[in-house]
Coordinates of all heavy atoms in Angstrom, one line a residue:
R444 N 101.1 91.6 102.5 CA 101.1 91.0 101.3 C 100.4 91.8 100.2 O 99.5 91.3 99.4 CB 100.3 89.7 101.4 CG 100.9 88.6 102.4 CD 102.4 88.4 102.0 NE 102.8 87.0 102.6 CZ 104.0 86.7 102.7 NH1 105.0 87.4 102.1 NH2 104.4 85.5 103.1
E590 N 110.3 89.0 101.4 CA 110.5 88.1 100.2 C 111.3 88.8 99.2 O 111.5 90.0 99.2 CB 109.1 87.7 99.7 CG 108.2 88.9 99.4 CD 106.8 88.5 99.5 OE1 106.4 87.4 99.9 OE2 106.0 89.5 99.5
G591 N 111.7 88.0 98.2 CA 112.5 88.6 97.1 C 111.7 89.3 96.2 O 110.5 89.3 96.1
H592 N 112.4 90.2 95.3 CA 111.7 91.0 94.3 C 111.0 90.1 93.3 O 111.7 89.1 92.7 CB 112.6 92.0 93.6 CG 111.8 93.0 92.8 ND1 111.2 92.7 91.6 CD2 111.5 94.3 93.1 CE1 110.7 93.8 91.1 NE2 110.7 94.8 92.1
W593 N 109.7 90.2 93.0 CA 109.1 89.3 92.1 C 109.6 89.2 90.8 O 109.5 88.1 90.1 CB 107.6 89.6 92.1 CG 107.4 90.9 91.3 CD1 107.4 92.1 92.0 CD2 107.0 91.1 90.0 NE1 107.1 93.1 90.9 CE2 106.8 92.5 89.8 CE3 106.7 90.3 89.0 CZ2 106.5 93.0 88.6 CZ3 106.4 90.8 87.7 CH2 106.3 92.2 87.6
A594 N 110.3 90.3 90.3 CA 110.7 90.3 88.8 C 112.2 90.0 88.8 O 112.7 90.2 87.6 CB 110.3 91.6 88.2
D595 N 112.9 89.8 89.9 CA 114.3 89.6 89.8 C 114.7 88.2 90.3 O 114.8 87.9 91.5 CB 115.0 90.6 90.8 CG 116.5 90.5 90.8 OD1 117.1 89.7 90.0 OD2 117.1 91.2 91.6
P596 N 114.9 87.3 89.4 CA 115.2 85.9 89.7 C 116.5 85.7 90.5 O 116.7 84.7 91.1 CB 115.2 85.0 88.4 CG 115.5 86.2 87.3 CD 114.9 87.4 87.9
S597 N 117.4 86.7 90.4 CA 118.7 86.6 91.1 C 118.7 87.1 92.5 O 119.7 86.9 93.2 CB 119.7 87.4 90.3 OG 119.4 88.7 90.4
D598 N 117.5 87.5 93.0 CA 117.4 88.0 94.4 C 117.6 86.9 95.3 O 116.9 85.9 95.3 CB 116.0 88.6 94.6 CG 115.9 89.4 95.9 OD1 116.5 89.0 96.9 OD2 115.2 90.5 96.0
P599 N 118.6 86.9 96.3 CA 119.0 85.8 97.1 C 117.9 85.5 98.1 O 117.7 84.4 98.7 CB 120.3 86.2 97.8 CG 120.2 87.8 97.7 CD 119.6 88.1 96.4
R600 N 116.9 86.4 98.3 CA 115.9 86.2 99.3 C 114.8 85.2 98.8 O 114.1 84.6 99.5 CB 115.1 87.5 99.5 CG 116.0 88.4 100.4 CD 115.3 89.7 100.6 NE 115.1 90.5 99.2 CZ 114.6 91.7 99.2 NH1 114.0 92.4 100.3 NH2 114.5 92.2 98.0
H601 N 114.9 84.8 97.4 CA 114.0 83.8 97.0 C 114.1 82.5 97.5 O 113.2 81.7 97.6 CB 114.1 83.7 95.5 CG 113.6 84.9 94.7 ND1 112.4 85.5 95.0 CD2 114.1 85.6 93.6 CE1 112.2 86.4 94.1 NE2 113.1 86.6 93.3
T602 N 115.4 82.2 98.0 CA 115.7 80.9 98.6 C 115.7 80.8 100.2 O 116.2 79.8 100.6 CB 117.1 80.4 97.9 OG1 118.1 81.2 98.3 CG2 116.9 80.1 96.5
Q603 N 115.4 81.9 100.7 CA 115.4 82.0 102.1 C 114.3 81.1 102.7 O 113.2 81.1 102.4 CB 115.2 83.5 102.6 CG 115.1 83.6 104.1 CD 114.6 85.1 104.5 OE1 114.4 85.8 103.7 NE2 114.6 85.3 105.8
F632 N 96.5 82.2 105.1 CA 97.7 83.2 105.0 C 97.8 83.5 103.4 O 97.7 82.6 102.7 CB 98.9 82.5 105.5 CG 99.3 82.9 106.9 CD1 98.8 82.2 108.0 CD2 100.2 84.0 107.2 CE1 99.2 82.5 109.3 CE2 100.5 84.3 108.5 CZ 100.0 83.6 109.5
G633 N 98.1 84.7 103.2 CA 98.5 85.1 101.8 C 99.8 84.3 101.5 O 100.7 84.4 102.3
A634 N 99.9 83.7 100.3 CA 101.1 82.9 100.0 C 102.3 83.8 99.8 O 103.3 83.2 100.2 CB 100.8 82.1 98.7
G635 N 102.2 84.9 99.4 CA 103.3 85.9 99.3 C 103.4 86.4 97.9 O 102.8 85.9 96.9
N636 N 104.2 87.5 97.8 CA 104.3 88.3 96.5 C 105.6 88.2 95.9 O 106.0 89.2 95.2 CB 103.8 89.7 96.7 CG 102.4 89.7 97.3 OD1 101.6 89.0 96.9 ND2 102.1 90.8 98.1
G637 N 106.4 87.3 96.2 CA 107.9 87.2 95.7 C 108.1 86.5 94.4 O 109.2 86.3 94.0
N638 N 106.9 85.8 93.9 CA 107.2 84.9 92.7 C 108.3 83.9 93.0 O 109.3 83.7 92.3 CB 107.6 85.7 91.4 CG 107.7 85.0 90.2 OD1 107.1 83.9 90.2 ND2 108.5 85.4 89.2
E639 N 108.0 83.3 94.2 CA 109.0 82.3 94.7 C 108.3 81.1 95.4 O 107.0 81.2 95.5 CB 109.9 83.0 95.7 CG 109.3 83.5 97.0 CD 110.0 84.7 97.7 OE1 111.0 85.2 97.1 OE2 109.8 84.9 98.9
C640 N 109.0 80.3 95.9 CA 108.4 79.1 96.6 C 107.8 79.2 97.8 O 108.5 79.6 98.8 CB 109.4 77.9 96.5 SG 108.7 76.3 97.0
V641 N 106.5 79.1 98.1 CA 105.8 79.3 99.2 C 106.3 78.2 100.3 O 106.1 78.5 101.6 CB 104.3 79.2 99.0 CG1 103.8 77.7 98.7 CG2 103.6 79.7 100.3
D642 N 106.8 77.1 99.9 CA 107.2 76.0 100.7 C 108.3 76.5 101.8 O 108.6 75.8 102.8 CB 107.7 74.8 100.0 CG 106.5 74.3 99.1 OD1 105.4 74.4 99.5 OD2 106.8 73.8 98.0
N643 N 109.0 77.6 101.5 CA 110.1 78.1 102.3 C 109.5 79.0 103.4 O 110.3 79.3 104.4 CB 111.2 78.8 101.4 CG 111.9 78.0 100.6 OD1 112.1 76.8 100.9 ND2 112.4 78.5 99.5
D644 N 108.3 79.3 103.3 CA 107.7 80.2 104.3 C 107.0 79.5 105.4 O 106.0 78.7 105.1 CB 106.6 81.1 103.5 CG 105.8 82.1 104.4 OD1 105.9 81.9 105.7 OD2 105.2 83.0 103.9
G645 N 107.5 79.5 106.5 CA 107.0 78.7 107.7 C 105.6 79.1 108.1 O 104.9 78.2 108.7
Y646 N 105.1 80.2 107.9 CA 103.7 80.6 108.0 C 102.7 80.0 107.0 O 101.9 79.2 107.4 CB 103.6 82.1 108.0 CG 104.3 82.8 109.2 CD1 105.6 83.2 109.1 CD2 103.6 83.1 110.3 CE1 106.3 83.9 110.1 CE2 104.2 83.9 111.4 CZ 105.6 84.2 111.2 OH 106.2 84.8 112.3
S647 N 102.9 80.4 105.8 CA 102.0 79.9 104.7 C 102.0 78.5 104.4 O 101.0 77.9 104.1 CB 102.3 80.7 103.4 OG 102.1 82.1 103.6
S648 N 103.2 77.8 104.7 CA 103.4 76.4 104.4 C 103.0 75.5 105.6 O 103.1 74.3 105.6 CB 104.8 76.1 104.0 OG 105.7 76.2 105.0
H649 N 102.6 76.1 106.7 CA 102.2 75.2 108.0 C 101.0 74.4 107.5 O 100.1 74.8 106.8 CB 101.7 76.2 109.0 CG 101.5 75.4 110.4 ND1 100.4 74.6 110.5 CD2 102.2 75.4 111.5 CE1 100.5 74.1 111.8 NE2 101.5 74.5 112.4
I653 N 95.8 77.4 105.3 CA 95.5 77.4 103.9 C 96.1 78.6 103.2 O 96.0 79.7 103.5 CB 94.0 77.5 103.7 CG1 93.2 76.3 104.2 CG2 93.6 77.7 102.2 CD1 91.7 76.4 104.3
A654 N 97.1 78.3 102.3 CA 97.9 79.3 101.7 C 97.2 79.7 100.3 O 96.8 78.9 99.5 CB 99.3 78.8 101.3
V655 N 97.0 81.0 100.3 CA 96.2 81.6 99.1 C 97.1 82.4 98.1 O 97.7 83.3 98.5 CB 95.0 82.4 99.6 CG1 94.1 82.8 98.5 CG2 94.2 81.7 100.7
G656 N 97.1 81.9 96.9 CA 97.7 82.7 95.8 C 96.7 83.6 95.1 O 95.5 83.6 95.3
A657 N 97.3 84.5 94.2 CA 96.5 85.4 93.5 C 96.4 85.0 91.9 O 97.4 84.7 91.4 CB 97.2 86.8 93.6
S658 N 95.3 85.2 91.4 CA 95.0 85.0 90.0 C 94.4 86.3 89.4 O 93.9 87.1 90.1 CB 94.0 83.8 89.7 OG 92.8 84.1 90.3
R663 N 94.8 83.6 85.0 CA 96.1 83.1 85.2 C 96.7 83.5 86.6 O 96.2 84.5 87.1 CB 97.0 83.6 84.1 CG 96.6 83.1 82.6 CD 97.7 83.5 81.7 NE 98.9 82.7 81.8 CZ 100.0 82.9 81.1 NH1 100.1 83.8 80.2 NH2 101.0 82.3 81.5
R664 N 97.8 82.9 86.9 CA 98.5 83.3 88.1 C 99.0 84.7 87.9 O 99.5 85.1 86.8 CB 99.7 82.4 88.2 CG 100.6 82.8 89.5 CD 101.7 81.7 89.7 NE 102.7 82.0 88.7 CZ 103.9 82.6 89.0 NH1 104.0 83.2 90.2 NH2 104.8 82.8 88.0
S665 N 98.8 85.6 89.0 CA 99.4 86.9 88.9 C 100.9 86.8 89.0 O 101.5 85.9 89.6 CB 99.0 87.7 90.1 OG 97.5 87.9 90.1
A666 N 101.6 87.6 88.3 CA 103.1 87.5 88.1 C 103.9 87.3 89.4 O 104.9 86.7 89.4 CB 103.6 88.6 87.2
Y667 N 103.5 88.0 90.4 CA 104.1 88.0 91.6 C 103.9 86.9 92.6 O 104.5 86.7 93.6 CB 103.9 89.3 92.4 CG 102.3 89.6 92.6 CD1 101.6 88.9 93.5 CD2 101.7 90.4 91.8 CE1 100.3 89.1 93.7 CE2 100.3 90.6 91.8 CZ 99.6 90.0 92.7 OH 98.2 90.2 92.9
S668 N 102.7 86.1 92.3 CA 102.2 85.2 93.2 C 103.1 84.1 93.5 O 103.6 83.4 92.6 CB 100.8 84.7 92.8 OG 100.2 84.0 93.7
D669 N 103.3 83.7 94.8 CA 104.1 82.6 95.2 C 103.5 81.3 94.8 O 102.3 81.2 94.7 CB 104.5 82.6 96.6 CG 105.4 83.6 97.1 OD1 105.8 84.4 96.2 OD2 105.8 83.7 98.2
Y670 N 104.2 80.2 94.7 CA 103.8 78.9 94.2 C 104.5 77.9 94.9 O 105.4 78.0 95.7 CB 104.2 78.8 92.7 CG 105.6 79.1 92.3 CD1 106.6 78.1 92.6 CD2 106.0 80.4 92.0 CE1 107.9 78.4 92.3 CE2 107.3 80.8 91.8 CZ 108.3 79.6 92.0 OH 109.6 80.0 91.7
G671 N 104.0 76.5 94.8 CA 104.6 75.5 95.4 C 103.6 74.4 95.9 O 102.4 74.5 95.7
K672 N 104.1 73.4 96.6 CA 103.3 72.3 97.1 C 102.3 72.8 98.2 O 101.3 72.2 98.2 CB 104.2 71.2 97.7 CG 105.1 70.5 96.7 CD 106.0 69.5 97.5 CE 107.0 68.7 96.5 NZ 107.8 67.8 97.3
A673 N 102.7 73.7 98.9 CA 101.9 74.2 100.0 C 100.7 75.1 99.5 O 99.7 75.4 100.2 CB 102.7 74.9 101.1
L674 N 100.8 75.6 98.3 CA 99.7 76.4 97.9 C 98.4 75.6 97.7 O 98.3 74.6 97.1 CB 100.1 77.1 96.4 CG 99.1 78.1 95.9 CD1 99.1 79.4 96.7 CD2 99.4 78.4 94.4
W675 N 97.3 76.2 98.3 CA 96.1 75.4 98.3 C 95.1 75.9 97.3 O 94.5 75.0 96.7 CB 95.4 75.5 99.7 CG 94.4 74.5 99.9 CD1 93.0 74.8 100.0 CD2 94.5 73.1 100.2 NE1 92.3 73.6 100.2 CE2 93.2 72.5 100.2 CE3 95.5 72.2 100.2 CZ2 93.0 71.2 100.5 CZ3 95.3 70.9 100.5 CH2 94.0 70.4 100.5
C676 N 95.0 77.2 97.0 CA 94.1 77.7 96.0 C 94.4 79.1 95.6 O 95.4 79.7 96.2 CB 92.6 77.7 96.6 SG 92.5 78.6 98.3
C677 N 93.7 79.7 94.7 CA 93.8 81.1 94.3 C 92.5 81.8 94.4 O 91.4 81.2 94.5 CB 94.3 81.1 92.8 SG 96.0 80.6 92.6
H685 N 104.9 91.6 83.7 CA 106.2 91.0 83.9 C 107.2 91.6 82.9 O 106.8 91.7 81.6 CB 106.1 89.4 83.7 CG 107.3 88.7 84.3 ND1 108.5 88.6 83.6 CD2 107.4 88.1 85.5 CE1 109.3 88.0 84.4 NE2 108.8 87.6 85.5
F690 N 106.6 85.8 79.5 CA 105.7 85.5 80.6 C 104.2 85.4 80.2 O 103.4 84.7 80.8 CB 105.9 86.5 81.9 CG 105.3 85.9 83.1 CD1 106.0 85.1 83.9 CD2 104.0 86.5 83.5 CE1 105.4 84.6 85.1 CE2 103.5 86.0 84.7 CZ 104.2 85.2 85.4
G725 N 97.7 92.1 95.4 CA 98.6 91.1 95.9 C 97.8 90.0 96.7 O 96.7 90.0 96.6
T726 N 98.6 89.0 97.2 CA 97.9 88.0 98.0 C 97.3 88.6 99.3 O 96.6 87.9 100.0 CB 98.9 86.9 98.4 OG1 100.0 87.4 99.0 CG2 99.3 86.2 96.9
A729 N 93.9 88.6 98.1 CA 93.5 87.2 97.8 C 93.1 86.5 99.1 O 92.1 85.7 99.1 CB 94.5 86.5 97.0
D768 N 102.1 78.0 80.7 CA 102.5 78.0 82.1 C 103.6 77.1 82.4 O 104.4 77.3 83.3 CB 101.3 77.7 83.0 CG 100.4 78.9 83.2 OD1 100.8 80.0 83.1 OD2 99.1 78.6 83.6
G769 N 103.8 76.1 81.6 CA 104.8 75.2 81.8 C 104.5 74.1 82.8 O 103.3 74.1 83.3
P770 N 105.4 73.3 83.3 CA 105.1 72.1 84.2 C 104.6 72.7 85.5 O 103.8 72.0 86.1 CB 106.5 71.5 84.5 CG 107.4 71.9 83.3 CD 106.8 73.3 82.8
L771 N 104.9 73.9 86.1 CA 104.4 74.3 87.4 C 102.9 74.7 87.3 O 102.3 74.7 88.4 CB 105.2 75.5 87.8 CG 106.7 75.3 88.1 CD1 107.3 76.6 88.7 CD2 106.7 74.2 89.3
G772 N 102.4 74.9 86.1 CA 101.0 75.2 85.9 C 100.1 74.0 85.7 O 98.9 74.1 85.7
R773 N 100.7 72.8 85.5 CA 99.9 71.7 85.2 C 99.3 71.1 86.4 O 99.9 71.1 87.5 CB 100.7 70.6 84.5 CG 101.3 71.1 83.1 CD 102.1 70.1 82.4 NE 102.7 70.6 81.3 CZ 104.0 70.3 80.9 NH1 104.6 69.5 81.7 NH2 104.5 70.9 79.8
Y774 N 98.1 70.4 86.4 CA 97.4 69.9 87.5 C 97.8 68.4 87.6 O 97.8 67.7 86.5 CB 95.9 70.1 87.5 CG 95.5 71.5 87.5 CD1 95.5 72.3 86.4 CD2 95.2 72.1 88.8 CE1 95.0 73.7 86.5 CE2 94.8 73.4 89.0 CZ 94.7 74.2 87.9 OH 94.3 75.5 88.0
H779 N 96.1 69.0 91.7 CA 96.8 70.2 92.3 C 97.9 70.7 91.3 O 98.5 70.0 90.7 CB 97.5 69.8 93.6 CG 98.2 70.9 94.4 ND1 99.6 71.1 94.0 CD2 98.0 71.7 95.3 CE1 100.0 72.2 94.8 NE2 98.9 72.4 95.5
S780 N 98.2 72.0 91.3 CA 99.1 72.7 90.6 C 100.1 73.5 91.4 O 99.5 74.2 92.4 CB 98.5 73.5 89.4 OG 99.3 74.6 89.0
H781 N 101.2 73.6 91.2 CA 102.2 74.5 91.9 C 101.9 75.9 91.7 O 102.0 76.8 92.7 CB 103.7 74.2 91.5 CG 104.3 73.0 92.1 ND1 105.4 72.9 92.7 CD2 103.7 71.7 92.3 CE1 105.7 71.8 93.2 NE2 104.7 71.0 92.9
Y782 N 101.3 76.4 90.6 CA 101.0 77.7 90.2 C 99.6 78.1 90.9 O 99.4 79.3 91.3 CB 100.9 78.0 88.7 CG 102.3 78.4 88.1 CD1 103.4 78.5 88.9 CD2 102.4 78.7 86.8 CE1 104.6 78.9 88.4 CE2 103.6 79.1 86.2 CZ 104.6 79.3 87.0 OH 105.8 79.6 86.5
Y783 N 98.6 77.2 90.9 CA 97.3 77.5 91.2 C 96.7 76.8 92.4 O 95.6 77.0 92.8 CB 96.4 77.3 90.0 CG 96.8 78.0 88.7 CD1 97.6 77.4 87.7 CD2 96.5 79.3 88.7 CE1 98.0 78.2 86.6 CE2 96.9 80.1 87.5 CZ 97.6 79.5 86.5 OH 98.1 80.2 85.3
G784 N 97.5 75.9 93.0 CA 96.9 75.0 94.1 C 95.9 74.2 93.4 O 96.1 73.6 92.3
H785 N 94.7 74.0 94.0 CA 93.6 73.3 93.4 C 92.8 74.2 92.3 O 91.9 73.6 91.8 CB 92.7 72.8 94.4 CG 93.3 71.7 95.3 ND1 93.5 70.4 94.9 CD2 94.0 71.8 96.4 CE1 94.1 69.7 95.8 NE2 94.4 70.5 96.8
G786 N 93.3 75.4 92.2 CA 92.6 76.3 91.2 C 92.1 77.5 91.8 O 92.3 77.8 93.0

Side-chain angles (χ1 to χ4, degrees):
R444 299 303 200 193
E590 51 212 355
H592 191 283
W593 67 277
D595 179 8
S597 66
D598 192 324
R600 290 175 295 180
H601 287 316
T602 57
Q603 174 186 5
F632 265 86
N636 303 325
N638 186 24
E639 61 195 25
C640 185
V641 67
D642 302 325
N643 292 334
D644 177 348
Y646 291 86
S647 297
S648 66
H649 188 288
I653 295 175
V655 185
S658 59
R663 298 188 65 184
R664 179 179 75 98
S665 297
Y667 52 79
S668 186
D669 285 4
Y670 51 84
K672 293 179 181 179
L674 184 68
W675 194 252
C676 57
C677 288
H685 200 281
F690 190 83
T726 57
D768 279 335
L771 294 179
R773 296 177 191 143
Y774 294 87
H779 183 273
S780 155
H781 280 225
Y782 270 1
Y783 302 101
H785 292 279

